[in-house]
Amino acid sequence: MIFYKRDAPLFIKGCCIYFGCFSMATLTRQDLNFGQVVADILCEFLEVAIHLILYVREIYPSGIFQKRKKYNVPVQMSCHPELNQYIQDTLHCVKPLIQKNEAEKVVMVIMDKEHHPVERFVFEISQPPLLSISSETLLSHVEQLLRAMILKISVCDAVLDNNPPGCTFTLLVHTREAATRNMEKVQVIKDFPWIVADEQEVHMEEAKLIPLKTMTSDILKMQLYVEERTQKN
Amino acid sequence: MDDLYLDNIDEFVNDQNKIVTYKWLSLTLGVHVNTAKQMLYHYLQQKRNESSGTPLHATYLVSGKCVENGSTYHKVSVVREDKLDAVKAKMDVTISVHVYSVQRAELKDSSPLYSTDYDAVKENLKNCNKYSAIRCAAAVPLSSSELQRAQEKALVPPVEKEISKPGFNENTSATSKPSAKQPAGIMGMFASKNASKSQESSKEVKTEQKEDFSLVETSKSKTASKANPMSNFFGKSAQKKADEKPNKSIKEEMDSSSTASATASLKQSQTSSKSETDVKEEQSKVSKALKVESKDTRNKTKRPEVVDSDDEKMLSQQKKRRRIKKPQPDSSDEEVVPDSPPVPNVHTPSPKKQVKREPVSHQEVSITNIMTEKGYVSESYSESEEEPESNSQAKDSSSLKHQKKTSAAKKPTKQPSIMGFFQKK
């Protein structure tokens, strides 16, 4: 199964144009191609991270996971077509928000059988206003940072309590202001409708905050932390 | 040795929640690997005796001889602590056991172990064997002229091997079928997809292995002189540390430099991971295989893996068979190297262009690769124009070379050779 096919072409074309013309110039946020690049990187990362969290937190049986390679290290990705489709569609819708820097947080909520959240993996995203690719090694640096994030997710077991059996997950996006108003017009959203999240899913009572990792780079700042319910069972 | 290191390890493990492998520790603290192993051992002892605080988990590297299907294999495994005794019991002779890593989290699979070492090794690429216990006086970096010649050689064979490609594919399908059947249970649902994937990737493996054939022969003849078949692997042990797993994985997983053979080893390892038993059998025949340029396709496929033909640079490192025991009964006790699905043909133009297109045929499209590959992939994206594009791309590749460096973590100019294969494009 090919994971990145849908997104990859966009990304590559965007980069191609960018590098072909500008080489190591400084670009600003207004350059949409560049926004695309960041969005692509981020969405790829989120996909890998979500799959990894599903694996590490044992939301789904480990049998459906298969080792793949990302950022030059092995990661576990699911092979279940519907699950993958769900995640891909979600991120596909999130991508335009990221491009316009309207997505504040992407949250993966893990809920128990009664649909009460037990854990929330929060990816807080921010993009510096003046994005610049002036460094030669920028992308490999970003790759390194993302690799570290993935590694941190792999060991998050140590700081989290076990989840009760029969958990499910859902993905939420927190946007700035009223970005979603425009979203309804976008075709991709019409095929894969989003609804406003329940208060129940958004807020968790008795939450413990456990920071996992922060990354800062020229093009992207991301923070990953976990809100965990104190009593899970 | 003073005990400050215990505090260091404690900080890494408990405060930073890191996975401390012995290799990472040796590079971080600047000590010999054997010292690092002992440090980890002492730390574990101390913490366990205290019997307080957070529980620690450890993994061990076990190596020994065991008999499977009637043949004796030298097996090296990384195992979790709870499986350690079971694995030791299965072996006829346990040659060595040492602590591989210490961490707080109970690892579900071996991927984080590899990730931990990856960056540490990358940063110390030039001298990552500084603290290694493996030495070989004959392993010296290639000069740039030798490097050129090697690259040229790699370009020539693929043309010839293409003709014999269909023949090899039949054999591959035989070997890959057992592996396709391996996934059971839940994975069985996706098995059909996997089978076709493995077929595809095996085909790619075959063609690239042909390229390596010429390189393999040179290395083979050099190592043929060793009496002990096993030592043929170790003959030209190189710059790597005692523990092969991350090295092999690094070799295999790092995207190749422009040379074809680098990718070949990646593909080879995929084949190897698919047909492990075949590989094991091969080990026992290796001395003959090394001397005889047999036309047996099996040997051809296995020899490159065994002798690790990835440029002369990579030559014969310790090719111990690594079996990383995963905590769950995975469908395959395999190398860290994953069987990532091949990028569809849309992205990877026909194999015959493989040499120049090595980056494209990579199954994994990482960020850095995308940047360098764009020259290839974006143009080839319009499938109908594949053929004429290749020429323009050949020219483009030189102009893009400087951009290759933008994404390559290691600048090629720094390390002319043996480490060269570590370079990303």
Side-chain angles (χ1 to χ4, degrees):
Chain A
M1 184 162 189
I2 305 113
F3 281 91
Y4 309 107
K5 183 179 187 181
R6 196 194 302 185
D7 298 334
L10 273 177
F11 180 36
I12 290 161
K13 281 195 175 135
C15 295
C16 177
I17 298 164
Y18 159 67
F19 269 114
C21 307
F22 297 108
S23 136
M24 284 176 284
T26 302
L27 290 183
T28 59
R29 266 238 112 255
Q30 286 75 36
D31 191 325
L32 197 56
N33 279 340
F34 188 67
Q36 253 182 342
V37 168
V38 175
D40 282 323
I41 294 176
L42 197 51
C43 285
E44 278 181 9
F45 168 74
L46 285 172
E47 189 170 358
V48 173
I50 290 167
H51 281 261
L52 193 60
I53 294 172
L54 291 174
Y55 176 76
V56 170
R57 302 307 292 152
E58 293 173 339
I59 311 290
Y60 293 110
S62 55
I64 67 166
F65 291 93
Q66 203 189 41
K67 259 192 187 160
R68 303 290 178 85
K69 191 172 87 161
K70 188 65 184 168
Y71 313 126
N72 278 315
V73 290
V75 295
Q76 296 280 0
M77 304 283 281
S78 132
C79 291
H80 192 289
E82 280 173 31
L83 172 62
N84 293 351
Q85 196 59 46
Y86 169 71
I87 295 173
Q88 274 189 319
D89 286 340
T90 311
L91 292 174
H92 199 61
C93 299
V94 169
K95 193 182 287 195
L97 291 174
I98 299 176
Q99 256 173 267
K100 295 180 225 144
N101 198 14
E102 279 162 359
E104 206 177 64
K105 292 193 237 185
V106 176
V107 184
M108 182 175 170
V109 185
I110 294 171
M111 299 173 294
D112 61 11
K113 281 187 264 207
E114 289 93 40
H115 293 279
H116 297 301
V118 288
E119 275 176 5
R120 298 176 79 240
F121 282 81
V122 182
F123 294 85
E124 256 186 32
I125 304 160
S126 73
Q127 296 173 37
L130 190 77
L131 292 167
S132 65
I133 311 184
S134 46
S135 154
E136 261 193 17
T137 53
L138 174 71
L139 284 172
S140 69
H141 180 58
V142 169
E143 184 180 294
Q144 192 177 8
L145 294 171
L146 294 176
R147 216 176 8 243
M149 279 271 206
I150 297 285
L151 186 57
K152 260 297 181 275
I153 295 175
S154 314
V155 294
C156 71
D157 268 358
V159 292
L160 296 172
D161 297 327
N162 284 337
N163 286 331
C167 282
T168 56
F169 82 104
T170 184
L171 293 167
L172 311 175
V173 180
H174 293 237
T175 60
R176 296 181 215 284
E177 297 151 10
T180 43
R181 251 188 272 146
N182 298 325
M183 273 177 76
E184 277 130 39
K185 301 179 193 147
V186 180
Q187 180 58 43
V188 63
I189 308 290
K190 287 189 194 150
D191 294 334
F192 190 72
W194 288 66
I195 53 173
V196 177
D198 297 337
E199 202 48 39
Q200 191 192 37
E201 287 165 359
V202 174
H203 288 118
M204 200 161 69
E205 67 279 357
E206 321 160 350
K208 252 190 321 188
L209 191 84
I210 298 144
L212 282 188
K213 192 98 176 80
T214 311
M215 72 162 259
T216 317
S217 76
D218 286 343
I219 57 170
L220 182 65
K221 278 195 228 262
M222 183 156 51
Q223 213 184 43
L224 170 60
Y225 56 87
V226 186
E227 287 172 27
E228 189 189 16
R229 200 166 75 186
T230 328
Q231 266 161 336
K232 282 185 173 175
N233 295 325
Chain B
M1 124 175 89
D2 60 80
D3 288 345
L4 273 174
Y5 69 86
L6 289 174
D7 291 333
N8 281 338
I9 299 177
D10 198 41
E11 187 193 318
F12 294 137
V13 173
N14 279 319
D15 299 342
Q16 299 178 17
N17 193 16
K18 273 186 173 352
I19 300 176
V20 180
T21 61
Y22 75 90
K23 184 189 289 191
W24 183 89
L25 192 66
S26 108
L27 287 170
T28 309
L29 297 184
V31 293
H32 193 270
V33 285
N34 290 338
T35 318
K37 293 171 196 172
Q38 284 165 7
M39 285 178 177
L40 284 177
Y41 179 73
H42 286 137
Y43 174 74
L44 260 184
Q45 292 293 97
Q46 187 201 49
K47 282 292 159 184
R48 297 250 160 103
N49 287 340
E50 280 172 21
S51 67
S52 66
T54 49
L56 290 178
H57 295 96
T59 60
Y60 292 85
L61 186 90
V62 185
S63 90
K65 292 211 189 299
C66 68
V67 179
E68 255 169 65
N69 304 330
S71 330
T72 317
Y73 302 113
H74 186 121
K75 186 158 117 174
V76 184
S77 314
V78 176
V79 301
R80 285 200 328 187
E81 202 162 12
D82 42 7
K83 305 262 164 60
L84 179 62
D85 290 328
V87 172
K88 284 209 297 202
K90 264 176 70 177
M91 293 191 170
D92 290 347
V93 181
T94 307
I95 296 171
S96 87
V97 181
H98 66 78
V99 179
Y100 187 87
S101 77
V102 175
Q103 63 276 342
R104 266 172 70 190
E106 184 165 7
L107 298 179
K108 292 184 178 56
D109 78 332
S110 57
S111 323
L113 294 174
Y114 174 75
S115 302
T116 314
D117 289 335
Y118 182 88
D119 280 312
V121 170
K122 216 168 73 156
E123 265 158 47
N124 294 298
L125 217 41
K126 248 190 186 161
N127 54 356
C128 64
N129 66 327
K130 197 158 103 179
Y131 305 112
S132 167
I134 304 169
R135 292 264 177 267
C136 175
V140 289
L142 284 178
S143 67
S144 50
S145 56
E146 285 176 340
L147 184 56
Q148 279 283 50
R149 263 181 277 138
Q151 286 174 349
E152 281 155 27
K153 263 194 231 170
L155 295 181
V156 171
V159 180
E160 311 158 7
K161 307 303 177 185
E162 279 304 322
I163 305 161
S164 43
K165 183 182 160 188
F168 292 132
N169 281 343
E170 295 157 20
N171 287 325
T172 339
S173 54
T175 52
S176 62
K177 260 175 201 154
S179 66
K181 287 193 188 130
Q182 275 170 23
I186 297 172
M187 279 301 218
M189 294 197 300
F190 316 121
S192 57
K193 274 192 183 157
N194 290 344
S196 54
K197 270 184 281 179
S198 60
Q199 299 263 3
E200 267 182 72
S201 59
S202 317
K203 284 181 194 165
E204 289 182 40
V205 180
K206 287 298 161 197
T207 47
E208 290 168 61
Q209 285 167 347
K210 298 314 137 243
E211 300 155 12
D212 288 335
F213 198 65
S214 54
L215 299 172
V216 168
E217 289 165 30
T218 47
S219 54
K220 273 184 296 181
S221 51
K222 287 174 197 166
T223 55
S225 52
K226 295 280 162 58
N228 183 358
M230 282 306 156
S231 71
N232 281 329
F233 299 102
F234 308 89
K236 292 239 171 116
S237 78
Q239 61 282 8
K240 298 302 167 291
K241 303 247 169 79
D243 176 16
E244 268 298 290
K245 172 181 78 80
N247 293 336
K248 186 164 178 227
S249 308
I250 288 170
K251 283 189 312 259
E252 292 159 349
E253 301 217 50
M254 276 208 198
D255 294 313
S256 66
S257 51
S258 51
T259 59
S261 43
T263 316
S265 68
L266 168 65
K267 305 287 169 121
Q268 289 158 14
S269 61
Q270 287 175 345
T271 319
S272 77
S273 60
K274 280 176 191 149
S275 42
E276 258 185 39
T277 47
D278 298 330
V279 168
K280 297 273 191 258
E281 287 161 23
E282 203 48 45
Q283 274 191 345
S284 52
K285 303 177 205 157
V286 71
S287 55
K288 298 175 216 152
L290 286 175
K291 290 182 183 169
V292 175
E293 295 171 28
S294 111
K295 295 303 171 193
D296 180 13
T297 46
R298 279 268 207 101
N299 280 349
K300 270 187 191 159
T301 62
K302 299 307 176 287
R303 247 174 314 173
E305 298 159 7
V306 158
V307 187
D308 192 13
S309 64
D310 172 25
D311 270 350
E312 289 89 354
K313 313 162 193 165
M314 282 202 22
L315 274 197
S316 51
Q317 306 175 5
Q318 288 197 19
K319 263 305 193 142
K320 296 185 194 177
R321 291 294 112 189
R322 311 213 139 242
R323 299 242 251 140
I324 298 159
K325 294 267 174 162
K326 293 198 197 140
Q328 280 110 6
D330 247 352
S331 55
S332 46
D333 271 0
E334 302 192 345
E335 307 282 353
V336 177
V337 174
D339 288 2
S340 30
V343 180
N345 285 332
V346 171
H347 292 255
T348 62
S350 56
K352 60 179 173 290
K353 300 192 201 103
Q354 241 159 18
V355 174
K356 277 289 194 292
R357 301 301 195 88
E358 273 324 310
V360 177
S361 64
H362 264 286
Q363 301 182 351
E364 180 49 42
V365 184
S366 70
I367 287 182
T368 56
N369 291 338
I370 286 175
M371 300 321 293
T372 51
E373 287 167 6
K374 60 179 165 32
Y376 309 100
V377 177
S378 60
E379 292 177 30
S380 64
Y381 191 62
S382 52
E383 296 150 50
S384 56
E385 295 172 355
E386 264 183 45
E387 290 301 341
E389 289 300 345
S390 62
N391 292 332
S392 53
Q393 289 195 12
K395 289 173 212 148
D396 283 347
S397 65
S398 51
S399 64
L400 288 169
K401 259 192 193 123
H402 74 280
Q403 274 137 15
K404 280 186 189 177
K405 289 186 185 169
T406 63
S407 58
K410 286 289 162 197
K411 318 265 180 278
T413 48
K414 256 202 232 164
Q415 301 131 17
S417 53
I418 270 194
M419 304 303 179
F421 78 85
F422 270 153
Q423 294 159 26
K424 295 187 213 172
K425 295 160 275 141

